[in-house]
Amino acid sequence: MTWFVHALQSHPELALFLTLAIGYAVGKVQIGSFKVGSVTGVLITGVIIGQLNITIDATVKSVFFLLFLFALGYNAGPQFFKGLKKEGIPQVIFSVIVCVIGLISTIIVGKILGYNAGQASGLAAGALTQSAVIGVAQDAISNLSIAASDKKSMMDFVPVGYAVTYIFGTIGCAFILATVGPKILGVDLEEESKKLDNISKDKLENSLENSRAGDLDYRAYIISDKYVGQSVSTIEKKLARDSIRLFLVRIKRENKVFKPAGDEVIQKNDHVAFAFKERDVEKINLLDIGQEISDYHLINFPTESLAVYVKSDKVIGKSIKEIRHHTLTRGVFISKLQSTGEEVPYQNDTIVQNHDVLTLTGPVDDVEVLAYQLGRPARNSDETDMIFVGLGILLGGLIGIPALMIGKVGISLSTSGGALIMGLIFGLLHSRRPTIGRIPSSTAWFLSNVGLAAFVAVVGINAGPGFVSGLKTSGISFFLAGVIVTIIPTLAGILLGKYVFKFKAPITLGATAGALTTTAAIGAICEKAKSNAPVLGYTVPYAVGNILLTVWGSIVIIFFS
């Protein structure tokens, strides 16, 4: 055992990976609807391992934190800027107010109890369940003009305060919103959510009536004798009624399979393959085509769905109907339309704009040729654009360095705040220019999840020696302070949604959970509602809350420096 401890002390990088392994295991522990979570599990594990007097270089902590914040901004960017549009303004304003109430609550409680900067920021991090505050606050504290010993004491207490208050911050917020909230609002949450589900479902079905190709269906037939001697185009026109698009995409003649041109004439005993939308099956008289058969070689040709970044005058300013009839080649369907990074419903008269993204579906050779005629393919890839990531974090860090002096306190975005803002901008840029800055979802998960966990692990390990003493001196009172700071903005969000913004009950509860970035709470609300309707109010506030609550980490320092 002594050898193992000495190995961790001599090679602190091994202690980091041990902390991550055990911490993620602890994070899977679930008690009722409350799940410990990876961040809390890693923090607790790091503090325990830190009792072995292991120190990890602060640069390691900074690198992981910058990766996390950039990924956070990158993922939230499109939603964040969408929330700034007219239809999202009420939810944005709501989120800002709830976050500000959380900040004011932290400041008032901290002032009454005589907390220092480290204690106040730790209170904000845990009670408002925003672990990113830890890094931002520690960064701000490190720039204070105070004794080195005081600075270290404050910085070490931030994760201590987070650990003490986070559990109620999560459980308490979830309980209030899922159980107490509906009673305050005076509604049956399940019934209200059903109403909202029905409205949303009807609206979605109407808006998507002519959208998407859905899955394409390829079927093989021995074609009816009545079509012998007719051209492929003629047959397609006879079958494609009521705006149904279908194509004869392959012919098997004398054991030879080929792609026919529109003027190819059908011969007796030809085996043919048709392509059409799966949803249009009911509208097509399949028996009229001929006898359906199972012919693997006839329908087993390579197909793909490829996103195309539109740049050609062939489609820019044209309606979907025009594009389908005059631009798409035979056998190719439009399966999705994205505008400013988000999939949008479309109809025949929807106009395709410059920089929209069309997803084409059909045989590989047809899709590939057409893609380059319309613009640039935006292919799915496991490769991360590290030029994009590296420059984003660099630029963010550079804009975050300059400080505005308020008294003796230098207030700046800090490198971490700069990385977050640049992540937002770069995330929006990628959503509008999908051919650049691709970060696959698996990589984005690693950067945001493991980046934060590794940062918290280093924080816990380095703060370990001071944890026990800090908990002894501030434990119970600090926990109660966290309870107060959690309850105030949570109740305020419920009342604001009901009386000021007039949101529907599921939206109010979801928006409050989002503004306070409490993922466990939205899960509890949806479970209580037996519906995902509350999520409609969660997305935009969650993006706004992530930004503001993280920034509060440096704002709090101004009042307690």
Side-chain angles (χ1 to χ4, degrees):
M1 188 63 180
T2 303
W3 170 85
F4 183 67
V5 171
H6 179 70
L8 295 181
Q9 292 172 335
S10 302
H11 301 278
E13 66 275 14
L14 299 182
L16 171 60
F17 286 106
L18 175 65
T19 301
L20 290 174
I22 297 176
Y24 269 89
V26 172
K28 293 181 181 296
V29 175
Q30 187 163 345
I31 303 172
S33 61
F34 172 73
K35 189 175 183 180
V36 174
S38 58
V39 173
T40 305
V42 167
L43 176 60
I44 294 172
T45 304
V47 169
I48 294 173
I49 292 177
Q51 303 305 313
L52 301 176
N53 292 312
I54 298 170
T55 302
I56 298 179
D57 191 286
T59 302
V60 176
K61 178 183 70 173
S62 298
V63 168
F64 279 109
F65 193 54
L66 290 176
L67 289 172
F68 157 69
L69 286 173
F70 181 81
L72 176 66
Y74 179 89
N75 291 330
Q79 292 177 344
F80 178 78
F81 287 105
K82 179 187 177 184
L84 300 180
K85 295 180 180 179
K86 183 177 179 180
E87 62 270 19
I89 290 297
Q91 289 188 10
V92 171
I93 296 173
F94 172 88
S95 308
V96 171
I97 295 174
V98 171
C99 289
V100 169
I101 291 173
L103 173 64
I104 294 173
S105 301
T106 302
I107 293 171
I108 292 175
V109 171
K111 287 293 185 181
I112 292 174
L113 297 177
Y115 288 164
N116 61 35
Q119 292 170 317
S121 52
L123 176 64
L128 301 178
T129 66
Q130 182 54 258
S131 49
V133 168
I134 298 173
V136 173
Q138 287 184 325
D139 198 10
I141 292 172
S142 68
N143 293 321
L144 295 178
S145 300
I146 57 177
S149 58
D150 292 338
K151 189 181 295 185
K152 185 178 188 307
S153 175
M154 289 182 187
M155 292 176 66
D156 285 349
F157 191 86
V158 178
V160 175
Y162 171 84
V164 172
T165 57
Y166 175 80
I167 293 179
F168 182 83
T170 301
I171 297 177
C173 182
F175 175 78
I176 293 171
L177 291 176
T179 305
V180 180
K183 294 179 181 178
I184 295 175
L185 296 172
V187 298
D188 181 327
L189 182 59
E190 184 177 343
E191 186 63 31
E192 288 296 308
S193 296
K194 282 182 180 178
K195 293 178 182 178
L196 200 56
D197 278 336
N198 291 334
I199 294 173
S200 299
K201 182 178 179 181
D202 292 342
K203 182 178 179 181
L204 182 64
E205 286 179 350
N206 290 335
S207 64
L208 293 177
E209 182 177 356
N210 290 311
S211 291
R212 293 189 170 189
D215 293 330
L216 293 185
D217 203 351
Y218 295 93
R219 299 195 183 188
Y221 299 87
I222 299 176
I223 198 160
S224 172
D225 287 343
K226 69 178 183 178
Y227 291 119
V228 172
Q230 298 184 27
S231 71
V232 167
S233 296
T234 301
I235 296 172
E236 290 174 346
K237 288 178 181 178
K238 287 183 178 180
L239 294 172
R241 58 183 182 276
D242 299 326
S243 299
I244 296 172
R245 299 183 78 240
L246 83 166
F247 299 99
L248 197 162
V249 291
R250 291 292 186 274
I251 293 178
K252 183 177 181 181
R253 183 177 297 160
E254 297 177 354
N255 292 322
K256 180 182 178 182
V257 178
F258 62 94
K259 181 177 71 174
D263 57 359
E264 178 71 35
V265 176
I266 296 299
Q267 298 181 13
K268 189 175 179 60
N269 296 324
D270 276 352
H271 291 190
V272 297
F274 275 91
F276 45 81
K277 300 176 185 178
E278 201 172 65
R279 70 177 188 187
D280 288 337
V281 170
E282 298 177 354
K283 304 174 184 177
I284 301 172
N285 186 0
L286 300 177
L287 295 177
D288 191 54
I289 297 175
Q291 179 185 347
E292 186 172 359
I293 59 175
S294 177
D295 192 325
Y296 176 81
H297 295 290
L298 180 58
I299 62 175
N300 184 39
F301 51 88
T303 62
E304 72 171 337
S305 289
L306 181 62
V308 180
Y309 177 52
V310 172
K311 299 184 70 175
S312 170
D313 291 338
K314 289 184 177 180
V315 290
I316 295 173
K318 303 292 195 305
S319 69
I320 292 293
K321 182 177 181 179
E322 289 178 295
I323 295 170
R324 283 171 172 164
H325 286 87
H326 303 298
T327 306
L328 295 186
T329 53
R330 294 178 54 257
V332 177
F333 295 79
I334 296 174
S335 59
K336 186 161 58 175
L337 172 64
Q338 290 172 281
S339 182
T340 63
E342 293 196 348
E343 183 179 353
V344 294
Y346 60 87
Q347 299 178 338
N348 281 331
D349 58 355
T350 299
I351 303 299
V352 174
Q353 307 292 342
N354 192 23
H355 301 149
D356 281 355
V357 177
L358 286 175
T359 298
L360 306 178
T361 302
V364 171
D365 49 356
D366 293 325
V367 169
E368 289 290 336
V369 171
L370 187 59
Y372 286 99
Q373 293 177 1
L374 303 187
R376 294 179 59 189
R379 302 181 189 279
N380 289 327
S381 170
D382 293 331
E383 183 177 345
T384 298
D385 188 346
M386 284 308 300
I387 298 174
F388 189 82
V389 175
L391 285 177
I393 295 176
L394 171 64
L395 293 175
L398 290 176
I399 67 171
I401 291 176
L404 172 66
M405 298 304 297
I406 301 179
K408 294 183 179 180
V409 181
I411 303 301
S412 71
L413 289 173
S414 76
T415 55
S416 53
L420 176 61
I421 290 176
M422 199 55 67
L424 287 169
I425 295 172
F426 274 40
L428 178 67
L429 178 62
H430 169 70
S431 72
R432 297 187 172 183
R433 303 286 191 277
T435 54
I436 63 171
R438 175 172 170 74
I439 302 179
S441 57
S442 56
T443 304
W445 178 89
F446 180 86
L447 294 178
S448 58
N449 192 294
V450 179
L452 178 59
F455 160 76
V456 169
V458 176
V459 168
I461 292 171
N462 289 344
F467 179 82
V468 176
S469 59
L471 191 58
K472 285 180 179 178
T473 57
S474 305
I476 300 302
S477 65
F478 203 86
F479 174 80
L480 294 176
V483 171
I484 295 171
V485 173
T486 296
I487 289 176
I488 291 175
T490 305
L491 291 178
I494 296 172
L495 297 175
L496 281 169
K498 179 179 182 180
Y499 294 110
V500 179
F501 290 88
K502 310 294 185 182
F503 293 151
K504 294 184 183 298
I507 301 297
T508 293
L509 299 176
T512 305
L516 295 174
T517 66
T518 310
T519 306
I522 190 64
I525 297 167
C526 289
E527 183 179 11
K528 189 79 172 180
K530 296 182 180 178
S531 163
N532 285 325
V535 177
L536 295 173
Y538 180 79
T539 307
V540 171
Y542 180 76
V544 176
N546 263 304
I547 308 309
L548 291 183
L549 293 181
T550 299
V551 173
W552 289 175
S554 60
I555 299 298
V556 166
I557 306 303
I558 298 176
F559 293 90
F560 292 87
S561 60

